[in-house]
Amino acid sequence: MLSKKMEEALNKQLNAELFSSYLYLAMAACFEARNLPGIAHWLEVQAKEEYGHAMKFYGYINDRRGRVTLAAIAAPPAEWPTPLAAFEAVLAHEQKVTGLIHGLVELAAQEKDPAAGVFLQWFVSEQVEEEKSADAIVAQLKMIGDSPHGLIMLDRALAQRG
Ligand code: FEO
């Protein structure tokens, strides 16, 4: 059984992962509307990944005989001025999520719940990858600067994400 504190915290993270999905889907829609389909595709794949993260929490809470409770998902922004601004927001968001995951790991230790600690290890590693990929795109966008040619090349590259 999960402690009440752990159950509440895992439900909160389920909501945070759904918000991440919503946020990236909003970004995808923004760049679809600006004719950058590769960037939009990358963000759409990311939104699906975040839904997958949410479902891992959903499954885990159920596996531990906890109760999933679904709270309202906050509305994300609708517009980002540039791809760089959007990917800087992705990176900042992922850094925030990393903090949330680390907080959950600490709570699992406090609650003497090693099983939850093991479950959360996958997310600890995943966050390293999440920050790395967002950071790489931010760096590329900075190199591209105001070059439309560079942006089109990056858009084509991001369209390849499986
Ligand atoms: Fe679910 Fe991007 O962290």
Side-chain angles (χ1 to χ4, degrees), residues 115-131:
V118 170
F119 165 73
L120 290 163
Q121 286 310 305
W122 184 89
F123 286 93
V124 172
S125 304
E126 175 69 4
Q127 283 311 118
V128 174
E129 289 305 311
E130 296 275 73
E131 286 191 30

Side-chain angles (χ1 to χ4, degrees), residues 33-70:
R34 290 201 211 155
N35 291 313
L36 287 166
I39 288 178
H41 169 76
W42 191 97
L43 288 160
E44 196 180 319
V45 172
Q46 192 61 33
K48 283 182 191 151
E49 259 196 38
E50 297 297 351
Y51 181 74
H53 294 173
M55 290 308 291
K56 277 183 191 280
F57 281 96
Y58 176 87
Y60 187 71
I61 295 165
N62 286 326
D63 285 350
R64 295 288 305 278
R65 315 303 287 161
R67 182 70 169 93
V68 167
T69 48
L70 297 176

Side-chain angles (χ1 to χ4, degrees), residues 64-153:
R64 295 288 305 278
R65 315 303 287 161
R67 182 70 169 93
V68 167
T69 48
L70 297 176
I73 304 166
E79 298 290 342
W80 287 265
T82 60
L84 178 58
F87 279 92
E88 280 176 337
V90 172
L91 179 58
H93 184 68
E94 289 303 330
Q95 286 165 340
K96 187 177 148 197
V97 172
T98 298
L100 296 177
I101 296 291
H102 291 181
L104 284 171
V105 171
E106 278 172 33
L107 182 67
Q110 278 166 25
E111 293 295 294
K112 300 192 179 4
D113 188 342
V118 170
F119 165 73
L120 290 163
Q121 286 310 305
W122 184 89
F123 286 93
V124 172
S125 304
E126 175 69 4
Q127 283 311 118
V128 174
E129 289 305 311
E130 296 275 73
E131 286 191 30
K132 182 182 155 191
S133 58
D135 189 52
I137 298 172
V138 166
Q140 286 173 33
L141 284 164
K142 282 183 178 166
M143 277 185 252
I144 286 166
D146 291 332
S147 156
H149 180 70
L151 186 57
I152 288 166
M153 296 295 284

